[in-house]
């Protein structure tokens, strides 16, 4: 049976699954590059790596807006009826936290860049001009939000993936299979 592009109350559709996994790949790549790029020598390559980090970070922001818009107009697959109330609360809170961080982290990076008086690049285009001057306080706060947001996101991602694997291997339900159809339900 083919999977529909739209969500149903039983499963995620192709678009939701694609946006989820593209975001996962971008986030993991951005985190690795984000930690490594600070140590690069000051060369044109470092400038290019930073520009790409900013462009892909803004792509995450745009994809998150698209995901939230799509999710607003689509049904969400129901959680298993056997899930205790605290797990339902944790799942909803975790998803809310993930979405909030997928907005906060790129937005704070964008703010940090602007407060540092750099243009905002987007794959070779200038998305936004320089601020005109450095705003040291805004720059420091945006940097803190960006860095701590990443640590919070990594913690939530570990919990999110852990919960998905718990559902798959311990509870043997279809929760993981709905977002990762290549994981066949365990007998």
């Amino acid at each position: 049976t083919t999977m529909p592009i739209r969500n149903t109350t039983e499963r995620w559709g192709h678009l939701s699954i694609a946006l989820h996994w593209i975001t996962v790949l971008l986030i993991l790549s951005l985190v690795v590059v984000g930690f490594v790029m600070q140590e690069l020598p000051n060369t044109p390559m470092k400038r290019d790596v930073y520009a790409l980090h900013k462009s892909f970070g803004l792509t995450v922001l745009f994809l998150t807006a698209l995901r939230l818009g799509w999710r607003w107009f689509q049904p969400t697959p129901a959680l298993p009826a056997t899930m205790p109330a605290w797990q339902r609360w944790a799942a909803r809170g975790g998803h809310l936290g993930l979405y909030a961080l997928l907005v906060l982290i790129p937005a704070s990076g964008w703010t940090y860049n602007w407060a540092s008086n750099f243009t905002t690049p987007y794959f070779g285009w200038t998305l936004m001009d320089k601020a005109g001057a450095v705003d040291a306080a805004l720059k420091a706060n945006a940097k803190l939000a960006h860095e701590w947001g990443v640590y919070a996101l990594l913690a939530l991602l570990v919990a999110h993936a852990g919960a998905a694997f718990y559902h798959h291997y311990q509870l043997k339900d279809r929760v993981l299979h709905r977002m990762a159809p290549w994981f066949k339900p365990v007998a």
Side-chain angles (χ1 to χ4, degrees):
T1 177
T2 61
M3 187 180 309
I5 194 163
R6 300 172 73 87
N7 300 345
T8 68
T9 54
E10 290 83 42
R11 65 189 320 168
W12 297 102
H14 275 315
L15 185 61
S16 293
I17 292 171
L19 290 172
H20 175 274
W21 290 108
I22 290 167
T23 302
V24 169
L25 290 172
L26 284 171
I27 289 295
L28 295 178
S29 302
L30 283 163
V31 168
V32 170
V33 170
F35 283 117
V36 171
M37 70 185 190
Q38 301 169 55
E39 307 303 321
L40 293 173
N42 283 324
T43 63
M45 186 190 87
K46 182 175 186 172
R47 182 198 63 226
D48 294 344
V49 169
Y50 266 81
L52 284 171
H53 181 81
K54 294 168 189 180
S55 296
F56 281 109
L58 288 169
T59 300
V60 168
L61 184 61
F62 302 147
L63 286 175
T64 301
L66 178 63
R67 287 179 74 183
L68 288 169
W70 183 249
R71 191 166 172 161
W72 183 264
F73 293 106
Q74 291 291 301
T76 301
L79 294 171
T82 55
M83 264 179 85
W86 74 268
Q87 286 181 3
R88 290 172 179 281
W89 180 88
R92 288 189 184 104
H95 281 107
L96 185 64
L98 287 168
Y99 279 119
L101 289 166
L102 289 176
V103 171
L104 172 82
I105 295 166
S108 61
W110 191 351
T111 303
Y112 175 73
N113 183 71
W114 185 79
S116 302
N117 199 32
F118 292 119
T119 59
T120 303
Y122 193 71
F123 297 110
W125 294 311
T126 298
L127 200 60
M128 201 161 101
D129 285 327
K130 293 180 181 185
V134 172
D135 184 331
L138 182 59
K139 178 180 170 182
N141 288 328
K143 183 178 184 191
L144 272 176
H146 194 68
E147 291 175 350
W148 284 101
V150 169
Y151 293 124
L153 180 66
L154 290 174
L156 268 179
L157 287 176
V158 168
H160 182 69
F165 286 121
Y166 172 74
H167 275 274
H168 189 71
Y169 291 108
Q170 191 67 35
L171 301 179
K172 297 180 181 2
D173 61 25
R174 299 179 65 82
V175 168
L176 177 62
H177 176 73
R178 296 184 316 189
M179 187 52 82
W182 51 91
F183 274 94
K184 297 302 175 204
V186 179

